[in-house]
Amino acid sequence: MEDGEVSGTNHTHTETGYDPAYEWPGDAEAPQPATILNESLSSTFKPWSLLRLLVQTSSVLPRVHRLAVLDEYKEVQFGRDVAPTGSGTPRVRLKEMAVSKVHATMFWDAGRREWAVVDMGSKHGSFLRHGGYSGPTVNVGEDFGVRLSPPRVASFPRALKHKDALTIGSTTFVVHIHSDRVSCEGCASSGSGDNTIPLFPASKGVKRTREEVGPKPSEGRDAKKALTMLKRTLLSRHDTTRSSAFSQSSSYVDRSAKRRALFPSSPLDTPGAPSPRSDSPSVASSGSAPIPETPALPQPLPESNIGRQLLMKQGWQPGTTLGSGENASGLVEPLKVSATSNRSGLGMPEKAPTPSSGDWRESGKQKRWADMIDKK
């Protein structure tokens, strides 16, 4: 190419050494999108889409609670247990054994700008069904959708779309996602908020009023003395209640006296009958020991006795001994039984301890002491 000749348009930038990236961009700054300016200016702006869960069917949630409002949160948990004390993450509690303690989690994925759900390694699983869910109920045996993960294995995040159905245990939620952060007619909450599901546990502490506890100590009053007076007041109330209850149940009723009055002729071995001990009034008044009865003399058997009749048929005659001939060595008259008194049985020492007059307890002690000496 000669000097002064203009190069053609078919030459590339590599040949000429030119690159548009080397051009000066200029002093004017690129305009930022209006949405980003609005986010920085508005303090109430939420960069995530509106999420609400509509309860379609459940056997554990009350019928009144049909909506979970999650407008102010970027994460929500599902589980059988309540949320820990002081936790800022909301939790939808499904109190049934098919739901794990921390079953699943929904969160806003800022990188993908979408809501996602993760199964936290539950045993019975979480089921997600995509597409516009419009069925009134989910029956047992119906297709719940795709299980997010195998049992006891955490799943990958699954994106959520509007009108998806999420089933956890016996509860099915219909997902409502609105990018304009305006709820539709189906997920609108009531004015009083009675149909919303509580996301945090309610405090169960019962506070006592100042009148029940007592007056508040003033600045100049001794706190230790005030505490002592408060303890005394509370203990006196408790003692008054116990004393009134004890006085009602401490009235003694002599049932033995009633029984003796109803049954005056009871045997000696029945409850309520006078005891034959030496210190009882009945024995002491008699002044003498009971006389043993003498056994009656044996009488001959009458003729109507069956045994007598059998012996007579075999040759026995009254006044003779049993047997015949040389074997007749029996006794004609039976042995006489002589009654003994003031004597002990076999195994007793020759001289029995003399009981003290009128004291049966002391005599018992002496008897036990004698038995212990004999055993040694």
Side-chain angles (χ1 to χ4, degrees), residues 49-305:
S49 301
L50 180 71
L51 173 66
R52 294 191 176 185
L53 303 177
L54 183 64
V55 179
Q56 199 67 25
T57 176
S58 177
S59 62
V60 293
L61 292 175
R63 294 184 178 180
V64 182
H65 299 161
R66 310 307 298 174
L67 182 66
V69 180
L70 307 170
D71 302 351
E72 305 296 328
Y73 306 100
K74 294 191 296 183
E75 182 181 355
V76 59
Q77 296 178 349
F78 301 85
R80 186 176 70 246
D81 290 354
V82 296
T85 305
S87 175
T89 304
R91 180 177 296 184
V92 178
R93 189 184 185 191
L94 304 174
K95 195 175 181 181
E96 59 177 331
M97 296 307 298
V99 179
S100 302
K101 294 181 179 180
V102 181
H103 195 100
T105 301
M106 281 186 184
F107 66 96
W108 169 255
D109 191 348
R112 298 178 179 272
R113 300 192 62 82
E114 63 183 5
W115 282 96
V117 60
V118 174
D119 188 277
M120 306 300 291
S122 62
K123 179 179 180 181
H124 299 280
S126 306
F127 300 87
L128 181 63
R129 180 168 51 184
H130 295 286
Y133 176 76
S134 59
T137 58
V138 176
N139 299 323
V140 177
E142 189 177 347
D143 183 17
F144 293 143
V146 179
R147 181 166 181 165
L148 300 184
S149 64
R152 303 188 184 280
V153 177
S155 68
F156 291 101
R158 298 291 184 93
L160 293 173
K161 304 297 181 183
H162 184 63
K163 290 288 186 176
D164 287 352
L166 177 66
T167 302
I168 299 176
S170 64
T171 306
T172 299
F173 299 96
V174 178
V175 181
H176 281 244
I177 299 176
H178 302 282
S179 58
D180 55 356
R181 296 191 61 82
V182 178
S183 61
C184 63
E185 183 179 357
C187 63
S189 61
S190 61
S192 59
D194 297 336
N195 62 337
T196 58
I197 301 174
L199 303 177
F200 295 95
S203 58
K204 298 182 180 180
V206 179
K207 296 183 179 180
R208 301 178 62 185
T209 60
R210 177 57 60 183
E211 291 75 9
E212 296 177 353
V213 176
K216 184 178 180 180
S218 59
E219 296 294 337
R221 190 176 179 182
D222 188 5
K224 187 174 181 180
K225 186 181 293 184
L227 182 60
T228 305
M229 293 297 296
L230 177 61
K231 289 181 178 179
R232 187 177 301 173
T233 304
L234 295 177
L235 291 175
S236 62
R237 294 178 184 175
H238 184 64
D239 293 341
T240 305
T241 307
R242 288 187 59 186
S243 60
S244 60
F246 180 75
S247 60
Q248 295 178 1
S249 61
S250 62
S251 57
Y252 176 72
V253 178
D254 192 357
R255 295 186 178 87
S256 298
K258 291 184 176 181
R259 192 161 46 244
R260 287 192 295 269
L262 292 175
F263 307 100
S265 60
S266 301
L268 297 181
D269 58 346
T270 57
S275 175
R277 297 179 303 188
S278 59
D279 59 346
S280 60
S282 59
V283 177
S285 60
S286 62
S288 60
I291 303 173
E293 297 181 358
T294 304
L297 296 176
Q299 300 294 330
L301 296 176
E303 297 181 358
S304 59
N305 187 273

Side-chain angles (χ1 to χ4, degrees), residues 270-351:
T270 57
S275 175
R277 297 179 303 188
S278 59
D279 59 346
S280 60
S282 59
V283 177
S285 60
S286 62
S288 60
I291 303 173
E293 297 181 358
T294 304
L297 296 176
Q299 300 294 330
L301 296 176
E303 297 181 358
S304 59
N305 187 273
I306 300 297
R308 179 190 174 102
Q309 295 177 5
L310 290 175
L311 290 174
M312 292 182 68
K313 288 181 179 181
Q314 294 177 1
W316 176 81
Q317 295 296 328
T320 61
T321 60
L322 294 177
S324 61
E326 298 178 356
N327 297 328
S329 59
L331 297 178
V332 178
E333 296 294 335
L335 295 175
K336 295 182 179 180
V337 179
S338 58
T340 58
S341 59
N342 299 329
R343 294 181 62 184
S344 303
L346 297 176
M348 292 297 293
E350 296 180 357
K351 184 178 180 181

Side-chain angles (χ1 to χ4, degrees), residues 1-82:
M1 184 174 61
E2 297 181 359
D3 295 339
E5 183 179 358
V6 180
S7 61
T9 58
N10 56 348
H11 293 279
T12 62
H13 298 301
T14 304
E15 298 176 358
T16 59
Y18 173 78
D19 192 348
Y22 298 150
E23 293 183 359
W24 177 253
D27 296 334
E29 296 182 357
Q32 299 293 336
T35 55
I36 300 179
L37 296 177
N38 293 337
E39 292 180 7
S40 60
L41 295 177
S42 177
S43 59
T44 60
F45 179 80
K46 305 298 181 183
W48 57 86
S49 301
L50 180 71
L51 173 66
R52 294 191 176 185
L53 303 177
L54 183 64
V55 179
Q56 199 67 25
T57 176
S58 177
S59 62
V60 293
L61 292 175
R63 294 184 178 180
V64 182
H65 299 161
R66 310 307 298 174
L67 182 66
V69 180
L70 307 170
D71 302 351
E72 305 296 328
Y73 306 100
K74 294 191 296 183
E75 182 181 355
V76 59
Q77 296 178 349
F78 301 85
R80 186 176 70 246
D81 290 354
V82 296

